[in-house]
Amino acid sequence: MGEAPAFCFDNLQNGFGLKPKVLETSADVGDKTFVIGGADNDSTSYIGVKIYDKSTGKWVIPTVLGTKPKASKGHSAILLNEDRIMIIIRGSTPDDCIWFLEVDTKYVKEQRKILGTEVVAWSRGVRGDAEKPVVISGPSGVGKGTLINMLMKEFPSMFGFSVSHTTRAPRGNEKNGVHYHFADRSVMEKDIKDGKFLEFASVHGNLYGTSIEAVEAVADSGKRCILDIDVQGARSVRASSLDAIFIFICPPTMRELEERLRARGTETEEQILKRLRNAEAEIEQGKSSGIFDHILYNDNLEECYENLKELLGLNGSAPTNHKPSPKGIDLPLNHSVSKIDNKILINCETLELEKASKNLIALDVSSLKGGAPGRTRGLNVYALDSFSDGLNEKLS
Ligand SMILES: Nc1ncnc2c1ncn2[C@@H]1O[C@H](COP(=O)(O)OP(=O)(O)OP(=O)(O)O)[C@@H](O)[C@H]1O
Ligand SMILES: Nc1nc2c(ncn2[C@@H]2O[C@H](COP(=O)(O)O)[C@@H](O)[C@H]2O)c(=O)[nH]1
């Protein structure tokens, strides 16, 4: 193992114009000092962030993107790679105690340009990896929903559907929260502005979008996420930090597509014509844009389904040993934190003698994946014997 802790902020500072009794930590990145503070009263329901710019001598309140951690009784902060600060929340629930505040990552730099303000972005830390999500696109009526339903029915414990938001009205059999989150346009636009969406697009005259929570909730449950989105959405996901498999479903002919749309009987004549007009451009882009890893033709439904399963490595029988849902980390209220190489050491102060030899937890942050606007995955957690030098037990 390495030597002395490289970085450890575990301080309580008052000042900088904040109210007394506010618990703060700080980290310096270049000319900026990031001050992260959580109020211990009811006025703030999440941990706040402010930036002191040493070059101008001014305080800046940044635009804060992503889901924020709840205010806590205290936290520790450690700078990683000069672009994100790992926050360890005291006395939090096991799946809610490790957070990352991105201050200069690729995503933050992009958002800074788009928004023209200082930007920081939160993401929650999660143990282990999730299986690659599957993005399925194709023109309206081609059979995406039908194929996805078949997959979910055959492998219920393996796949989870990313429930999109849309401003379109529900169809007769559609349930809010199951098929879509049916949303008011102004609410959805505000959430998009607040950085809550992985992607969004105007499709056939309505707004559709995939919230970050929709995808991450599926991954958190240990299932592989399936997204049913249009080509514009697939393009945005391709450009995001989400590492997914992209599949485009093509109809055998335009005539067959039209027949399926009409036979489904869910759209008005005007909507059917609009969807068919858009289909031509979508098929063109699906085949030529380079977004998609695979193109499947849905002529015979059973054959197409078998091909889809083969792409996903599900040839025939249902696999039984899919990844279990990752567990959290049980941190006591009192602990101290330090960093050695790529390991964060958390010294848990326990008074129970029988636990005294197992009171060090190491977080290996060498293989972090994802990040804002989703979760930061790939955290490896080990229990360390405090009286020995090496890692001696991986927490299960
Ligand atoms: N291979 C197939 N042969 C014949 N009919 C099919 C086939 N695949 C799907 N269908 C039928 O076509 C209709 C449209 O399918 P589905 O609703 O799954 O399309 P979709 O791509 O999800 O459309 P949208 O994007 O509008 O939601 C449905 O009535 C479905 O039963
Ligand atoms: N970009 C996105 N497209 C989406 C999303 N959810 C659905 N869709 C696509 O919209 C059309 C029409 O769907 P319908 O349910 O009204 O028939 C279809 O191509 C879907 O793939 C989304 O979150 N983002």
Side-chain angles (χ1 to χ4, degrees):
M1 304 257 302
E3 296 158 16
F7 248 110
C8 177
F9 300 100
D10 190 14
N11 50 348
L12 299 183
Q13 304 170 350
N14 283 323
F16 305 129
L18 289 177
K19 295 180 213 103
K21 291 178 89 184
V22 171
L23 308 169
E24 291 177 358
T25 53
S26 63
D28 283 348
V29 181
D31 270 351
K32 295 171 191 164
T33 302
F34 292 83
V35 178
I36 303 153
D40 66 349
N41 57 29
D42 291 341
S43 64
T44 308
S45 58
Y46 60 87
I47 294 177
V49 183
K50 56 198 289 187
I51 305 170
Y52 181 69
D53 188 335
K54 287 181 252 174
S55 64
T56 62
K58 291 196 173 135
W59 283 98
V60 181
I61 303 296
T63 302
V64 182
L65 300 175
T67 308
K68 307 160 183 77
K70 291 186 205 97
S72 69
K73 292 290 173 198
H75 62 266
S76 311
I78 297 222
L79 183 63
L80 302 178
N81 302 330
E82 297 289 315
D83 64 3
R84 72 193 67 199
I85 301 163
M86 181 175 180
I87 308 288
I88 303 174
I89 313 252
R90 297 192 174 158
S92 190
T93 54
D95 61 350
D96 207 30
C97 59
I98 309 289
W99 288 77
F100 293 86
L101 181 71
E102 298 193 10
V103 296
D104 204 28
T105 55
K106 184 169 163 253
Y107 173 70
V108 164
K109 284 177 182 152
E110 277 168 10
Q111 293 300 315
R112 219 184 270 146
K113 266 194 209 149
I114 294 168
L115 300 172
T117 61
E118 273 298 343
V119 173
V120 293
W122 285 105
S123 77
R124 183 149 66 80
V126 176
R127 289 178 65 184
D129 293 327
E131 280 206 80
K132 275 190 184 187
V134 183
V135 172
I136 298 191
S137 282
S140 177
V142 74
K144 301 179 298 292
T146 307
L147 289 161
I148 292 169
N149 285 341
M150 290 165 83
L151 210 51
M152 306 261 296
K153 200 170 166 199
E154 189 175 358
F155 305 101
S157 63
M158 196 175 187
F159 293 100
F161 185 61
S162 156
V163 181
S164 294
H165 282 63
T166 180
T167 58
R168 85 151 162 73
R171 293 175 186 142
N173 62 341
E174 286 180 332
K175 290 198 181 77
N176 192 26
V178 176
H179 299 92
Y180 280 105
H181 297 288
F182 294 100
D184 194 70
R185 185 174 275 268
S186 59
V187 175
M188 199 168 154
E189 282 174 348
K190 161 106 180 32
D191 286 348
I192 289 171
K193 213 170 144 212
D194 288 348
K196 292 186 182 167
F197 279 77
L198 177 66
E199 63 77 30
F200 60 92
S202 176
V203 190
H204 317 312
N206 284 299
L207 191 55
Y208 291 76
T210 308
S211 73
I212 292 155
E213 262 323 293
V215 175
E216 298 296 355
V218 174
D220 287 351
S221 72
K223 294 184 182 180
R224 191 170 187 183
C225 185
I226 306 184
L227 292 84
D228 173 348
I229 60 177
D230 86 320
V231 177
Q232 307 168 77
R235 190 187 298 278
S236 303
V237 176
R238 191 49 123 176
S240 79
S241 60
L242 193 78
D243 186 18
I245 293 180
F246 293 76
I247 301 172
F248 188 78
I249 313 285
C250 256
T253 61
M254 286 303 288
R255 177 186 284 270
E256 173 66 17
L257 185 70
E258 180 170 354
E259 276 170 21
R260 287 182 196 172
L261 263 181
R262 290 192 187 287
R264 190 171 72 180
T266 49
E267 268 70 34
T268 62
E269 180 61 20
E270 192 190 345
Q271 286 163 347
I272 289 174
L273 294 177
K274 187 184 264 185
R275 285 176 183 237
L276 286 172
R277 273 198 304 276
N278 292 340
E280 307 222 7
E282 282 182 273
I283 294 170
E284 174 66 29
Q285 288 178 44
K287 286 182 179 170
S288 64
S289 59
I291 298 171
F292 295 93
D293 302 307
H294 307 280
I295 295 178
L296 289 180
Y297 281 84
N298 183 17
D299 188 354
N300 177 293
L301 182 60
E302 287 306 325
E303 267 175 32
C304 185
Y305 181 57
E306 286 307 315
N307 292 336
L308 175 61
K309 285 201 290 182
E310 195 165 335
L311 282 185
L312 300 175
L314 305 166
N315 317 316
S317 58
T320 49
N321 60 339
H322 73 280
K323 273 190 182 169
S325 139
K327 287 188 186 132
I329 307 155
D330 215 347
L331 278 187
L333 189 63
N334 293 318
H335 62 261
S336 58
V337 178
S338 55
K339 181 173 182 286
I340 300 177
D341 301 332
N342 272 324
K343 307 236 172 8
I344 310 298
L345 299 181
I346 306 174
N347 192 352
C348 305
E349 292 158 26
T350 170
L351 296 174
E352 297 166 55
L353 275 178
E354 66 273 19
K355 287 192 187 162
S357 63
K358 288 276 171 65
N359 61 0
L360 265 181
I361 292 174
L363 300 182
D364 185 336
V365 291
S366 58
S367 318
L368 295 183
K369 295 194 183 93
R375 306 270 195 270
T376 298
R377 297 187 184 275
L379 265 179
N380 280 318
V381 184
Y382 298 86
L384 275 176
D385 185 334
S386 56
F387 301 119
S388 83
D389 208 17
L391 302 180
N392 72 346
E393 186 189 336
K394 187 168 180 175
L395 293 182
S396 56

